[in-house]
Every structure is written in C-alpha cells, then in structure tokens.
Amino acid sequence: MLKEYLAALLDGIQYPADRSITKDQIEAAKAAGLVIVFGASDDLMELEGAIRDEFGCYDGGTALIDAEGLLPERENIEDDDELREYFKRKPMARKIEALWCKEDGYSWTYSTDIPHSTFDVLDGEDHYCRGIVFALADLGPQVTS
C-alpha cells in the first residue's frame, strides 16, 4: 500500500479520527510501514500504523521522530541511559510540527520535510484536521548501538 492510497482512503473521515480509522486500515498501514498522523482534542498528535504513539502538543509543538519512533521530550528524561540514547538518536531525527489553528478552518495541521500525503478529518461538515501519512522508510535507517 502506498501513502497516497492510504491518505485517499482516509480523506473525509469523521472526528474523532481514532474511532474512524478502521482496524483493517491500521493493520494495512503497519504491514506497509506507513504512519498515520492526526490530531485529537486540543493537545495531542496521534500516530497509528507502523508507529503507535502520541505526542502532547497543547497549542502546537514539535515532535522528533526516527525509524524507532517518537523521541521522548528532552526535559522529561531523567535516566542517564535514556539520555545517551536520546542524544544518539536526535541527529538523525526528523521534525513534525503540530500547528494549532494556524490554517484557516483547521484545528490541526502539520508541517514536516518528511515526504507525505495529506487527508482531511471532518467534524460534521467542518474541517477539523489535515492529517498526514508517511512511510517509515523515509525516516532513514534505525540507529544501532
């Protein structure tokens, strides 16, 4: 499955997206190495598919991601081993910026240099979120020890 195809399948789903994306779509995304990114509430970036996680981003924020998944937020790391792992992964990590109410008519949009396709999440007939789909392979290789 290609990211463009999955984005086209998801286009027009209803908010909350985590209830509109089917288990089959999530499994197909996972098998194809695709990641689906969408907003939830006023403070979350959700990831489904090849990476399943969430990023707290009240009023917007920037997540760092690599082939292993989301990097933890630096200020929340207390363990030395986790800190070493963070600094090892950070140089290869890519950014996904969650933008809260920055584009007319959308609560959530995303900005990233990761090649991606977009889809709209609707709240009734209104736009709620412009989500993205990207391939895990476009994040580069996993960091090895």
Side-chain angles (χ1 to χ4, degrees), residues 5 66 144:
Y5 179 72
D66 64 12
T144 57

Side-chain angles (χ1 to χ4, degrees), residues 18-130:
D18 63 338
R19 294 186 191 150
S20 294
I21 301 171
T22 68
K23 289 180 182 180
D24 288 343
Q25 289 168 328
I26 292 169
E27 288 304 314
K30 189 174 182 179
L34 299 176
V35 180
I36 306 164
V37 179
F38 55 92
S41 186
D42 64 352
D43 64 347
L44 285 178
M45 176 194 308
E46 299 272 353
L47 294 91
E48 279 290 356
I51 295 173
R52 184 163 195 232
D53 209 337
E54 64 183 29
F55 175 73
C57 52
Y58 179 77
D59 204 29
T62 302
L64 296 175
I65 190 167
D66 64 12
E68 295 179 42
L70 286 177
L71 274 69
E73 293 181 65
R74 167 62 185 96
E75 59 272 9
N76 295 334
I77 301 172
E78 296 178 6
D79 179 83
D80 287 345
D81 290 336
E82 283 183 51
L83 192 58
R84 278 190 284 280
E85 184 69 16
Y86 173 85
F87 283 115
K88 186 166 88 173
R89 291 174 60 195
K90 187 179 177 198
M92 297 292 289
R94 307 285 286 274
K95 294 179 182 178
I96 300 176
E97 185 178 7
L99 304 167
W100 174 250
C101 294
K102 299 291 184 188
E103 191 171 324
D104 192 35
Y106 291 89
S107 293
W108 288 113
T109 55
Y110 301 94
S111 177
T112 184
D113 66 353
I114 302 167
H116 64 276
S117 292
T118 62
F119 64 95
D120 284 345
V121 177
L122 303 176
D123 187 1
E125 294 182 15
D126 297 326
H127 289 103
Y128 173 73
C129 171
R130 178 170 289 142

